[in-house]
Amino acid sequence: MPTIRPARPEDAAAIAAVYAPYVSETAISFEITPPDAEEMSRRMTACMAVYPWLVAEDGGRIAGYAYAGRYSGRAAYDWAVEVTVYLHPDYHRKHVGRHLYQTLFAILRRQGVHSVFAIITLPNDASVGLHRASGMREIGIYREVGFKFGEWRDVLSMGMILSDRALPIGPLIPFPQLTLDRQDFE
């Protein structure tokens, strides 16, 4: 099983390479042009100011990555996040995505996140299966919300509650302020 760890700036090119085929060859991502390493590094840096961005590393190779981001700009949503996972094709169906999500969700709980959501372009049975196996449930389908490769695409919203707290613990603890050790990534 690959090792899970926080992403580093030097991972940006490998992360961009994992993501590029999803952009250029599938409708899974609604981006049209794959971001280069510089753009990916910018996104990672912005994300990690508050939220985790994790990679699965296997013998120096990036097998996949997962991260969380703000669900909405409105203050009432501060304890909700959108999560994403992408895997290199060699690591599909090897539980790497589930391991990334388990680690990501544990860190998000420590930050004070209450709920997580994912948006999945349909059809995508593998992604729906991964999100179900990670504890998420279907919320609803946005019909014909995106247009890519000459046709309208539906997306499925999935989500889960991470915390059973009646009230937030306070503002989210930014990812860089968490004290994490090796156990947090096993």
Side-chain angles (χ1 to χ4, degrees):
M1 180 64 68
T3 303
I4 308 297
R5 63 167 174 78
R8 298 187 290 249
E10 58 267 24
D11 297 325
I15 289 170
V18 167
Y19 183 54
Y22 289 98
V23 174
S24 59
E25 300 169 17
T26 77
I28 290 171
S29 168
F30 279 177
E31 288 197 70
I32 303 300
T33 303
D36 62 15
E38 183 178 330
E39 172 61 16
M40 193 59 78
S41 179
R42 188 200 63 72
R43 292 178 188 188
M44 292 164 54
T45 299
C47 172
M48 291 178 70
V50 179
Y51 303 103
W53 189 308
L54 307 176
V55 296
E57 183 179 35
D58 188 19
R61 178 183 187 198
I62 300 300
Y65 64 95
Y67 64 93
R70 190 167 188 163
Y71 179 76
S72 171
R74 303 237 188 324
Y77 292 113
D78 282 354
W79 299 272
V81 298
E82 185 175 337
V83 296
T84 302
V85 64
Y86 285 99
L87 301 173
H88 186 282
D90 292 348
Y91 293 90
H92 289 182
R93 301 196 181 278
K94 295 186 178 176
H95 305 290
V96 175
R98 192 178 322 177
H99 189 56
L100 277 162
Y101 264 168
Q102 288 170 344
T103 305
L104 181 67
F105 294 166
I107 292 169
L108 292 170
R109 281 185 190 95
R110 289 188 49 198
Q111 287 186 271
V113 169
H114 182 71
S115 51
V116 299
F117 300 94
I119 302 298
I120 302 162
T121 305
L122 297 178
N124 190 339
D125 293 341
S127 186
V128 172
L130 166 62
H131 287 81
R132 278 187 189 139
S134 298
M136 292 191 184
R137 297 293 166 249
E138 290 87 353
I139 295 169
I141 296 175
Y142 295 93
R143 300 285 178 195
E144 297 185 3
V145 70
F147 189 83
K148 188 169 180 183
F149 296 143
E151 63 184 276
W152 291 107
R153 306 292 175 159
D154 297 343
V155 296
L156 171 66
S157 176
M158 296 184 76
M160 67 185 276
I161 305 300
L162 289 181
S163 164
D164 60 1
R165 293 183 198 98
L167 299 172
I169 61 169
L172 287 187
I173 301 166
F175 181 60
Q177 292 180 17
L178 289 179
T179 302
L180 301 171
D181 57 36
R182 203 166 82 187
Q183 286 181 317
D184 293 301
F185 300 97
E186 293 178 351

Coordinates of all heavy atoms in Angstrom, one line a residue, residues 90-181:
D90 N -2.8 2.9 -12.8 CA -2.2 1.7 -12.2 C -2.7 1.4 -10.8 O -2.5 0.3 -10.3 CB -0.7 1.8 -12.2 CG -0.1 1.9 -13.6 OD1 -0.8 1.6 -14.6 OD2 1.1 2.2 -13.7
Y91 N -3.4 2.4 -10.2 CA -3.8 2.2 -8.8 C -5.3 2.1 -8.6 O -5.8 2.2 -7.4 CB -3.1 3.3 -7.9 CG -1.6 3.2 -7.8 CD1 -0.8 3.8 -8.8 CD2 -1.0 2.4 -6.9 CE1 0.5 3.6 -8.8 CE2 0.3 2.2 -6.9 CZ 1.1 2.8 -7.8 OH 2.5 2.7 -7.8
H92 N -6.0 2.0 -9.7 CA -7.5 1.9 -9.6 C -7.8 0.5 -8.9 O -7.0 -0.5 -9.2 CB -8.1 1.9 -10.9 CG -8.1 3.3 -11.5 ND1 -8.7 3.6 -12.7 CD2 -7.6 4.5 -11.1 CE1 -8.6 4.9 -13.0 NE2 -7.9 5.4 -12.0
R93 N -8.8 0.5 -8.1 CA -9.3 -0.8 -7.5 C -8.3 -1.5 -6.6 O -8.3 -2.7 -6.5 CB -9.9 -1.7 -8.6 CG -11.0 -1.1 -9.4 CD -11.8 -2.2 -10.1 NE -12.8 -1.6 -10.9 CZ -14.0 -1.2 -10.4 NH1 -14.3 -1.4 -9.2 NH2 -14.9 -0.7 -11.3
K94 N -7.4 -0.7 -6.0 CA -6.4 -1.2 -5.1 C -6.5 -0.6 -3.7 O -5.6 -0.7 -2.9 CB -5.0 -1.0 -5.7 CG -4.8 -1.8 -6.9 CD -3.4 -1.8 -7.4 CE -3.2 -2.6 -8.7 NZ -1.9 -2.5 -9.3
H95 N -7.7 0.0 -3.4 CA -8.0 0.6 -2.1 C -7.2 1.9 -1.8 O -7.2 2.3 -0.7 CB -7.9 -0.4 -1.0 CG -8.7 -1.6 -1.2 ND1 -10.1 -1.6 -1.2 CD2 -8.4 -2.9 -1.5 CE1 -10.6 -2.8 -1.4 NE2 -9.6 -3.6 -1.7
V96 N -6.4 2.4 -2.8 CA -5.6 3.6 -2.6 C -6.5 4.8 -2.4 O -6.3 5.6 -1.5 CB -4.6 3.8 -3.7 CG1 -3.9 5.2 -3.6 CG2 -3.7 2.7 -3.9
G97 N -7.6 4.9 -3.2 CA -8.5 6.0 -3.0 C -9.2 6.0 -1.7 O -9.4 7.0 -1.0
R98 N -9.6 4.8 -1.2 CA -10.3 4.7 0.1 C -9.3 5.1 1.2 O -9.7 5.7 2.2 CB -10.8 3.3 0.3 CG -11.7 3.2 1.5 CD -12.3 1.9 1.7 NE -12.7 1.1 0.5 CZ -13.2 -0.1 0.5 NH1 -13.4 -0.7 1.7 NH2 -13.5 -0.7 -0.6
H99 N -8.1 4.6 1.1 CA -7.0 4.9 2.1 C -6.8 6.5 2.1 O -6.7 7.1 3.2 CB -5.8 4.2 1.8 CG -4.7 4.2 2.9 ND1 -5.0 3.9 4.2 CD2 -3.5 4.6 2.9 CE1 -3.9 4.1 4.9 NE2 -3.0 4.5 4.1
L100 N -6.7 7.1 1.0 CA -6.6 8.5 0.9 C -7.7 9.2 1.6 O -7.5 10.1 2.4 CB -6.5 9.0 -0.5 CG -5.1 9.0 -1.2 CD1 -5.2 9.0 -2.7 CD2 -4.2 10.1 -0.7
Y101 N -8.9 8.8 1.3 CA -10.1 9.4 1.9 C -10.2 9.2 3.4 O -10.5 10.1 4.2 CB -11.4 8.9 1.2 CG -11.9 9.8 0.2 CD1 -12.9 9.4 -0.7 CD2 -11.5 11.1 0.0 CE1 -13.4 10.2 -1.7 CE2 -12.0 11.9 -1.0 CZ -13.0 11.5 -1.9 OH -13.5 12.3 -2.8
Q102 N -9.9 8.0 3.9 CA -9.9 7.7 5.3 C -8.9 8.6 6.0 O -9.3 9.2 7.1 CB -9.5 6.2 5.6 CG -10.5 5.2 5.2 CD -10.0 3.8 5.3 OE1 -8.9 3.5 5.3 NE2 -11.0 2.9 5.3
T103 N -7.8 8.8 5.5 CA -6.8 9.7 6.1 C -7.3 11.2 6.0 O -7.2 11.9 7.0 CB -5.4 9.6 5.4 OG1 -5.0 8.2 5.4 CG2 -4.3 10.4 6.1
L104 N -7.8 11.6 4.9 CA -8.3 12.9 4.7 C -9.4 13.2 5.7 O -9.4 14.2 6.4 CB -8.8 13.1 3.3 CG -9.3 14.5 2.9 CD1 -8.2 15.6 3.0 CD2 -10.0 14.5 1.5
F105 N -10.3 12.3 5.8 CA -11.5 12.5 6.7 C -11.0 12.6 8.2 O -11.6 13.4 8.9 CB -12.5 11.4 6.5 CG -13.2 11.3 5.2 CD1 -13.9 10.2 4.8 CD2 -13.1 12.4 4.3 CE1 -14.5 10.2 3.6 CE2 -13.7 12.4 3.0 CZ -14.5 11.2 2.7
A106 N -10.1 11.8 8.6 CA -9.6 11.8 10.0 C -9.0 13.2 10.2 O -9.2 13.8 11.3 CB -8.5 10.7 10.2
I107 N -8.2 13.7 9.3 CA -7.6 15.1 9.5 C -8.7 16.1 9.5 O -8.7 17.1 10.3 CB -6.6 15.3 8.4 CG1 -5.4 14.4 8.6 CG2 -6.2 16.8 8.4 CD1 -4.4 14.4 7.4
L108 N -9.7 16.0 8.6 CA -10.8 17.0 8.6 C -11.6 17.0 9.9 O -12.0 18.1 10.4 CB -11.7 16.7 7.4 CG -11.1 17.0 6.0 CD1 -12.1 16.4 4.9 CD2 -10.8 18.4 5.8
R109 N -11.8 15.8 10.5 CA -12.4 15.8 11.8 C -11.6 16.6 12.8 O -12.2 17.3 13.6 CB -12.6 14.3 12.3 CG -13.7 13.6 11.6 CD -13.9 12.2 12.3 NE -14.8 11.4 11.5 CZ -14.5 10.6 10.5 NH1 -13.2 10.4 10.2 NH2 -15.4 9.9 9.9
R110 N -10.3 16.4 12.8 CA -9.5 17.1 13.8 C -9.5 18.6 13.5 O -9.3 19.4 14.4 CB -8.0 16.6 13.7 CG -7.9 15.2 14.3 CD -6.5 14.7 14.4 NE -5.7 15.6 15.1 CZ -4.3 15.5 15.0 NH1 -3.8 14.6 14.3 NH2 -3.6 16.4 15.7
Q111 N -9.8 19.0 12.3 CA -9.9 20.5 12.0 C -11.2 21.1 12.4 O -11.3 22.3 12.6 CB -9.7 20.7 10.5 CG -8.3 20.5 9.9 CD -8.3 20.9 8.5 OE1 -8.5 20.1 7.6 NE2 -8.0 22.2 8.2
G112 N -12.2 20.2 12.7 CA -13.5 20.7 13.1 C -14.5 20.7 12.0 O -15.6 21.2 12.1
V113 N -14.2 20.0 10.9 CA -15.2 19.9 9.8 C -16.3 19.0 10.2 O -16.2 18.0 10.8 CB -14.5 19.3 8.5 CG1 -15.5 19.0 7.4 CG2 -13.5 20.3 8.0
H114 N -17.5 19.4 9.8 CA -18.8 18.7 10.2 C -19.2 17.8 9.0 O -19.7 16.7 9.3 CB -19.9 19.7 10.6 CG -21.1 19.0 11.0 ND1 -21.2 18.3 12.2 CD2 -22.3 18.9 10.4 CE1 -22.5 17.8 12.3 NE2 -23.1 18.1 11.2
S115 N -19.2 18.3 7.8 CA -19.7 17.5 6.7 C -18.9 17.6 5.4 O -18.2 18.6 5.2 CB -21.2 17.9 6.4 OG -21.3 19.3 6.2
V116 N -18.9 16.5 4.6 CA -18.1 16.5 3.4 C -19.0 16.2 2.2 O -20.0 15.4 2.4 CB -16.9 15.5 3.5 CG1 -15.9 15.9 4.6 CG2 -17.4 14.1 3.7
F117 N -18.7 16.7 1.1 CA -19.5 16.5 -0.1 C -18.5 16.3 -1.3 O -17.4 16.7 -1.3 CB -20.3 17.7 -0.4 CG -21.3 18.0 0.7 CD1 -21.0 18.9 1.7 CD2 -22.5 17.3 0.8 CE1 -21.8 19.1 2.8 CE2 -23.4 17.5 1.8 CZ -23.0 18.5 2.8
A118 N -19.0 15.5 -2.3 CA -18.3 15.2 -3.5 C -19.2 15.4 -4.7 O -20.4 15.1 -4.5 CB -17.7 13.8 -3.5
I119 N -18.7 15.8 -5.8 CA -19.5 16.0 -7.0 C -18.9 15.1 -8.1 O -17.7 15.2 -8.3 CB -19.5 17.4 -7.5 CG1 -20.0 18.4 -6.5 CG2 -20.2 17.6 -8.8 CD1 -21.4 18.2 -6.1
I120 N -19.7 14.2 -8.6 CA -19.2 13.1 -9.5 C -19.9 13.2 -10.9 O -21.1 13.1 -10.9 CB -19.4 11.7 -8.9 CG1 -18.7 11.7 -7.6 CG2 -18.9 10.6 -9.9 CD1 -19.2 10.5 -6.7
T121 N -19.1 13.4 -11.9 CA -19.7 13.4 -13.3 C -20.2 12.0 -13.6 O -19.5 11.0 -13.3 CB -18.7 13.8 -14.3 OG1 -18.2 15.1 -14.0 CG2 -19.3 13.9 -15.7
L122 N -21.4 11.9 -14.1 CA -22.0 10.6 -14.5 C -21.9 10.4 -16.0 O -22.0 11.3 -16.7 CB -23.5 10.6 -14.0 CG -23.7 10.7 -12.5 CD1 -25.2 10.7 -12.2 CD2 -23.0 9.6 -11.8
P123 N -21.8 9.1 -16.4 CA -21.6 7.9 -15.5 C -20.2 7.8 -15.1 O -19.2 8.1 -15.8 CB -22.0 6.8 -16.5 CG -21.7 7.3 -17.8 CD -21.9 8.8 -17.8
N124 N -20.0 7.2 -13.9 CA -18.7 7.0 -13.3 C -18.9 6.0 -12.1 O -18.8 6.3 -11.0 CB -18.0 8.2 -12.8 CG -16.6 8.0 -12.5 OD1 -16.2 6.9 -12.2 ND2 -15.8 9.1 -12.5
D125 N -19.2 4.7 -12.5 CA -19.5 3.7 -11.5 C -18.3 3.5 -10.5 O -18.5 3.3 -9.3 CB -19.8 2.4 -12.1 CG -21.1 2.4 -12.9 OD1 -21.9 3.3 -12.6 OD2 -21.3 1.5 -13.8
A126 N -17.1 3.6 -11.0 CA -15.9 3.4 -10.1 C -15.9 4.5 -9.0 O -15.6 4.2 -7.8 CB -14.6 3.4 -10.9
S127 N -16.1 5.7 -9.4 CA -16.0 6.8 -8.4 C -17.2 6.7 -7.5 O -17.1 6.9 -6.3 CB -16.0 8.2 -9.1 OG -15.9 9.2 -8.2
V128 N -18.4 6.4 -8.0 CA -19.6 6.3 -7.1 C -19.3 5.2 -6.1 O -19.6 5.3 -4.9 CB -20.8 6.0 -7.9 CG1 -22.0 5.7 -7.0 CG2 -21.2 7.2 -8.8
G129 N -18.7 4.1 -6.6 CA -18.4 2.9 -5.7 C -17.4 3.3 -4.6 O -17.5 3.0 -3.4
L130 N -16.3 4.1 -5.0 CA -15.3 4.5 -4.0 C -16.0 5.4 -3.0 O -15.7 5.2 -1.8 CB -14.2 5.3 -4.8 CG -13.3 6.1 -3.9 CD1 -12.5 5.2 -2.9 CD2 -12.3 6.9 -4.7
H131 N -16.8 6.3 -3.4 CA -17.4 7.3 -2.4 C -18.4 6.5 -1.5 O -18.4 6.8 -0.3 CB -18.1 8.4 -3.2 CG -17.1 9.4 -3.7 ND1 -16.4 9.2 -4.9 CD2 -16.6 10.5 -3.2 CE1 -15.6 10.2 -5.1 NE2 -15.6 11.0 -4.1
R132 N -19.1 5.6 -2.0 CA -20.0 4.7 -1.2 C -19.2 4.0 -0.2 O -19.5 3.9 1.0 CB -20.8 3.8 -2.0 CG -22.0 4.3 -2.6 CD -22.9 3.2 -3.3 NE -23.9 3.8 -4.1 CZ -24.3 3.4 -5.3 NH1 -23.7 2.4 -5.8 NH2 -25.3 4.0 -5.9
A133 N -18.1 3.3 -0.6 CA -17.2 2.6 0.2 C -16.5 3.4 1.3 O -16.2 2.9 2.4 CB -16.2 1.8 -0.6
S134 N -16.4 4.7 1.0 CA -15.8 5.7 2.0 C -16.9 6.2 2.9 O -16.5 7.1 3.8 CB -15.1 6.8 1.2 OG -14.1 6.3 0.4
G135 N -18.1 5.8 2.8 CA -19.1 6.2 3.7 C -20.1 7.3 3.2 O -21.0 7.7 3.9
M136 N -19.9 7.7 2.0 CA -20.8 8.8 1.5 C -22.1 8.1 0.9 O -22.1 7.0 0.5 CB -20.1 9.6 0.4 CG -19.0 10.4 0.9 SD -18.5 11.5 -0.4 CE -17.1 12.3 0.4
R137 N -23.1 9.0 0.9 CA -24.4 8.5 0.3 C -24.9 9.5 -0.7 O -24.5 10.7 -0.7 CB -25.5 8.5 1.4 CG -25.2 7.4 2.5 CD -25.2 6.0 1.9 NE -24.6 5.0 2.8 CZ -23.5 4.4 2.5 NH1 -22.8 4.6 1.4 NH2 -23.0 3.5 3.3
E138 N -25.7 9.1 -1.7 CA -26.2 9.9 -2.7 C -27.1 11.0 -2.2 O -28.0 10.7 -1.3 CB -26.9 9.1 -3.8 CG -26.0 8.2 -4.6 CD -25.8 6.8 -4.0 OE1 -26.2 6.6 -2.8 OE2 -25.2 6.0 -4.7
I139 N -27.0 12.2 -2.6 CA -27.8 13.3 -2.2 C -28.8 13.7 -3.4 O -30.0 13.8 -3.2 CB -27.0 14.5 -1.8 CG1 -26.2 14.2 -0.6 CG2 -27.9 15.7 -1.6 CD1 -25.1 15.2 -0.2
G140 N -28.3 13.8 -4.6 CA -29.1 14.1 -5.7 C -28.3 14.3 -7.0 O -27.1 14.3 -6.9
I141 N -29.0 14.4 -8.1 CA -28.3 14.6 -9.4 C -28.7 16.0 -9.9 O -29.9 16.4 -10.0 CB -28.8 13.5 -10.3 CG1 -28.3 12.1 -9.8 CG2 -28.2 13.7 -11.7 CD1 -28.8 10.9 -10.6
Y142 N -27.6 16.7 -10.4 CA -27.8 17.9 -11.1 C -27.8 17.5 -12.6 O -26.8 17.0 -13.1 CB -26.7 18.9 -10.9 CG -26.6 19.4 -9.5 CD1 -25.8 18.7 -8.5 CD2 -27.3 20.5 -9.1 CE1 -25.7 19.2 -7.2 CE2 -27.2 21.0 -7.8 CZ -26.4 20.3 -6.9 OH -26.4 20.8 -5.6
R143 N -29.0 17.7 -13.3 CA -29.1 17.2 -14.6 C -28.6 18.2 -15.6 O -28.8 19.4 -15.5 CB -30.6 17.0 -15.0 CG -31.3 16.0 -14.1 CD -30.9 14.6 -14.5 NE -31.5 13.6 -13.7 CZ -31.2 12.4 -13.6 NH1 -30.2 11.9 -14.3 NH2 -31.8 11.5 -12.8
E144 N -27.8 17.7 -16.6 CA -27.3 18.5 -17.7 C -26.6 19.8 -17.2 O -26.8 20.9 -17.7 CB -28.3 18.8 -18.7 CG -28.8 17.5 -19.3 CD -29.8 17.7 -20.4 OE1 -30.1 18.8 -20.8 OE2 -30.3 16.7 -21.0
V145 N -25.8 19.7 -16.2 CA -25.2 20.9 -15.6 C -23.8 21.3 -16.2 O -23.4 22.4 -16.1 CB -25.0 20.7 -14.1 CG1 -23.9 19.6 -13.8 CG2 -24.7 21.9 -13.3
G146 N -23.2 20.4 -16.9 CA -21.9 20.7 -17.6 C -22.0 20.2 -19.0 O -22.7 19.2 -19.4
F147 N -21.2 20.9 -19.9 CA -21.1 20.5 -21.3 C -19.7 20.2 -21.7 O -18.8 21.1 -21.6 CB -21.7 21.6 -22.2 CG -21.9 21.3 -23.6 CD1 -23.0 20.6 -24.0 CD2 -20.9 21.6 -24.6 CE1 -23.2 20.2 -25.4 CE2 -21.0 21.2 -25.9 CZ -22.2 20.5 -26.3
K148 N -19.4 19.0 -22.0 CA -18.0 18.6 -22.4 C -18.1 17.5 -23.4 O -18.9 16.6 -23.4 CB -17.3 18.2 -21.2 CG -15.8 17.9 -21.4 CD -15.0 17.7 -20.2 CE -13.5 17.5 -20.5 NZ -12.7 17.3 -19.3
F149 N -17.1 17.6 -24.4 CA -17.0 16.6 -25.5 C -18.3 16.5 -26.2 O -18.8 15.4 -26.6 CB -16.6 15.2 -24.9 CG -15.2 15.2 -24.4 CD1 -14.9 14.5 -23.3 CD2 -14.2 16.0 -24.9 CE1 -13.6 14.4 -22.7 CE2 -12.9 16.0 -24.4 CZ -12.6 15.2 -23.3
G150 N -19.0 17.6 -26.5 CA -20.2 17.6 -27.3 C -21.5 17.2 -26.7 O -22.5 17.0 -27.5
E151 N -21.5 17.0 -25.4 CA -22.8 16.6 -24.8 C -23.0 17.1 -23.4 O -22.0 17.4 -22.7 CB -23.1 15.1 -24.9 CG -22.1 14.3 -24.1 CD -22.3 12.8 -24.3 OE1 -23.2 12.2 -23.6 OE2 -21.7 12.2 -25.2
W152 N -24.2 17.3 -23.0 CA -24.5 17.7 -21.6 C -24.2 16.5 -20.7 O -24.4 15.4 -21.0 CB -26.0 18.1 -21.5 CG -26.3 19.3 -22.2 CD1 -27.0 19.4 -23.4 CD2 -26.0 20.6 -21.8 NE1 -27.1 20.8 -23.8 CE2 -26.4 21.5 -22.8 CE3 -25.2 21.1 -20.7 CZ2 -26.3 22.9 -22.7 CZ3 -25.0 22.5 -20.7 CH2 -25.6 23.4 -21.6
R153 N -23.7 16.9 -19.5 CA -23.3 15.9 -18.5 C -24.1 16.2 -17.1 O -24.2 17.3 -16.7 CB -21.8 16.0 -18.2 CG -20.9 15.9 -19.4 CD -21.0 14.6 -20.0 NE -20.2 14.5 -21.3 CZ -19.7 13.5 -21.8 NH1 -19.9 12.3 -21.2 NH2 -19.0 13.5 -22.9
D154 N -24.5 15.1 -16.5 CA -25.1 15.1 -15.2 C -24.0 14.9 -14.2 O -23.0 14.3 -14.4 CB -26.1 14.0 -15.0 CG -27.3 14.1 -16.0 OD1 -27.5 15.1 -16.6 OD2 -28.0 13.0 -16.1
V155 N -24.2 15.5 -13.0 CA -23.3 15.2 -11.9 C -24.1 14.8 -10.6 O -25.3 15.3 -10.4 CB -22.4 16.4 -11.5 CG1 -21.5 16.8 -12.6 CG2 -23.2 17.6 -11.1
L156 N -23.6 13.8 -9.9 CA -24.2 13.3 -8.7 C -23.5 14.0 -7.5 O -22.3 14.0 -7.4 CB -23.9 11.8 -8.7 CG -24.3 11.1 -7.3 CD1 -25.8 11.1 -7.1 CD2 -23.8 9.6 -7.4
S157 N -24.3 14.4 -6.6 CA -23.8 15.0 -5.3 C -23.9 13.9 -4.3 O -24.9 13.2 -4.2 CB -24.7 16.2 -4.9 OG -24.2 16.6 -3.6
M158 N -22.8 13.6 -3.6 CA -22.7 12.7 -2.5 C -22.2 13.3 -1.3 O -21.4 14.3 -1.4 CB -21.9 11.4 -2.9 CG -22.4 10.7 -4.1 SD -21.4 9.2 -4.4 CE -22.0 8.1 -3.1
G159 N -22.5 12.8 -0.1 CA -22.0 13.4 1.1 C -22.1 12.6 2.3 O -22.7 11.5 2.3
M160 N -21.5 13.1 3.4 CA -21.6 12.4 4.7 C -21.3 13.4 5.8 O -20.7 14.4 5.6 CB -20.7 11.2 4.8 CG -19.2 11.5 4.8 SD -18.1 10.1 4.8 CE -18.0 9.7 6.5
I161 N -21.8 13.0 7.0 CA -21.5 13.8 8.2 C -20.3 13.2 8.9 O -20.3 12.0 9.1 CB -22.8 13.8 9.1 CG1 -24.0 14.3 8.4 CG2 -22.5 14.6 10.4 CD1 -23.9 15.7 7.8
L162 N -19.3 14.0 9.2 CA -18.1 13.5 9.9 C -18.2 13.6 11.4 O -17.6 12.9 12.1 CB -16.9 14.3 9.4 CG -16.4 14.2 8.0 CD1 -15.1 15.0 7.9 CD2 -16.0 12.7 7.8
S163 N -19.0 14.6 11.9 CA -19.1 14.9 13.3 C -20.5 14.7 13.8 O -21.4 15.0 13.2 CB -18.6 16.3 13.5 OG -18.9 16.8 14.8
D164 N -20.6 14.3 15.1 CA -21.9 14.2 15.7 C -22.1 15.3 16.7 O -23.0 15.3 17.5 CB -22.0 12.8 16.4 CG -21.0 12.6 17.5 OD1 -20.1 13.5 17.7 OD2 -21.0 11.5 18.1
R165 N -21.3 16.3 16.6 CA -21.4 17.5 17.5 C -22.7 18.3 17.1 O -23.0 18.5 16.0 CB -20.2 18.4 17.3 CG -18.9 17.9 17.8 CD -17.8 18.9 17.7 NE -16.5 18.3 17.8 CZ -15.8 18.0 16.8 NH1 -16.2 18.2 15.6 NH2 -14.6 17.4 16.9
A166 N -23.4 18.8 18.2 CA -24.5 19.6 17.9 C -24.1 21.0 17.5 O -24.9 21.7 16.8 CB -25.4 19.7 19.2
L167 N -22.9 21.5 18.0 CA -22.4 22.8 17.6 C -21.0 22.7 17.1 O -20.3 21.8 17.5 CB -22.5 23.7 18.9 CG -23.8 23.9 19.5 CD1 -23.7 24.7 20.8 CD2 -24.7 24.7 18.6
P168 N -20.6 23.6 16.3 CA -19.2 23.6 15.9 C -18.2 23.8 17.1 O -18.6 24.4 18.1 CB -19.1 24.8 14.9 CG -20.5 25.2 14.5 CD -21.3 24.7 15.7
I169 N -17.0 23.3 16.9 CA -16.0 23.4 18.0 C -15.5 24.8 18.0 O -14.7 25.2 18.9 CB -14.9 22.4 17.9 CG1 -14.1 22.6 16.6 CG2 -15.4 21.0 18.0 CD1 -12.8 21.8 16.5
G170 N -15.8 25.6 17.0 CA -15.2 27.0 16.9 C -14.8 27.1 15.4 O -15.2 26.2 14.6
P171 N -14.0 28.1 15.1 CA -13.5 28.2 13.7 C -12.7 26.9 13.4 O -12.1 26.3 14.2 CB -12.7 29.4 13.7 CG -13.0 30.2 15.0 CD -13.6 29.2 15.9
L172 N -12.7 26.6 12.1 CA -11.8 25.5 11.7 C -10.4 25.7 12.0 O -9.9 26.9 11.9 CB -11.9 25.3 10.1 CG -13.2 24.7 9.6 CD1 -13.0 24.4 8.1 CD2 -13.6 23.4 10.2
I173 N -9.7 24.7 12.4 CA -8.3 24.8 12.7 C -7.6 24.6 11.3 O -7.7 23.6 10.6 CB -7.8 23.7 13.6 CG1 -8.5 23.8 15.0 CG2 -6.3 23.7 13.8 CD1 -8.4 22.5 15.8
P174 N -6.8 25.6 10.9 CA -6.2 25.5 9.6 C -5.2 24.4 9.5 O -4.5 24.1 10.5 CB -5.4 26.9 9.4 CG -6.2 27.8 10.3 CD -6.6 27.0 11.5
F175 N -5.1 23.7 8.4 CA -4.3 22.5 8.3 C -2.8 22.8 8.8 O -2.3 21.9 9.5 CB -4.3 22.1 6.8 CG -3.5 20.8 6.5 CD1 -3.7 19.6 7.2 CD2 -2.4 20.9 5.6 CE1 -3.0 18.5 6.9 CE2 -1.7 19.8 5.3 CZ -1.9 18.6 6.0
P176 N -2.2 23.9 8.4 CA -0.8 24.1 8.9 C -0.7 24.2 10.4 O 0.4 24.0 10.9 CB -0.4 25.4 8.2 CG -1.3 25.6 7.1 CD -2.6 24.9 7.5
Q177 N -1.8 24.4 11.1 CA -1.7 24.5 12.6 C -1.9 23.2 13.3 O -1.7 23.1 14.5 CB -2.7 25.6 13.1 CG -2.4 27.0 12.6 CD -3.4 28.0 13.1 OE1 -4.2 27.7 14.0 NE2 -3.4 29.2 12.5
L178 N -2.3 22.2 12.6 CA -2.5 20.9 13.2 C -1.1 20.3 13.5 O -0.2 20.4 12.7 CB -3.2 19.9 12.3 CG -4.7 20.1 12.1 CD1 -5.3 19.1 11.1 CD2 -5.5 20.1 13.4
T179 N -1.0 19.6 14.6 CA 0.2 18.8 14.9 C -0.1 17.4 14.4 O -0.9 16.7 15.0 CB 0.5 18.9 16.4 OG1 0.7 20.2 16.8 CG2 1.8 18.1 16.7
L180 N 0.6 17.0 13.4 CA 0.4 15.6 12.8 C 1.7 14.8 13.0 O 2.8 15.4 12.9 CB 0.0 15.7 11.4 CG -1.3 16.5 11.0 CD1 -1.4 16.8 9.6 CD2 -2.5 15.9 11.6
D181 N 1.5 13.5 13.2 CA 2.7 12.7 13.2 C 2.4 11.5 12.3 O 1.4 11.4 11.6 CB 3.0 12.2 14.6 CG 1.9 11.5 15.3 OD1 1.1 10.8 14.7 OD2 1.7 11.7 16.5

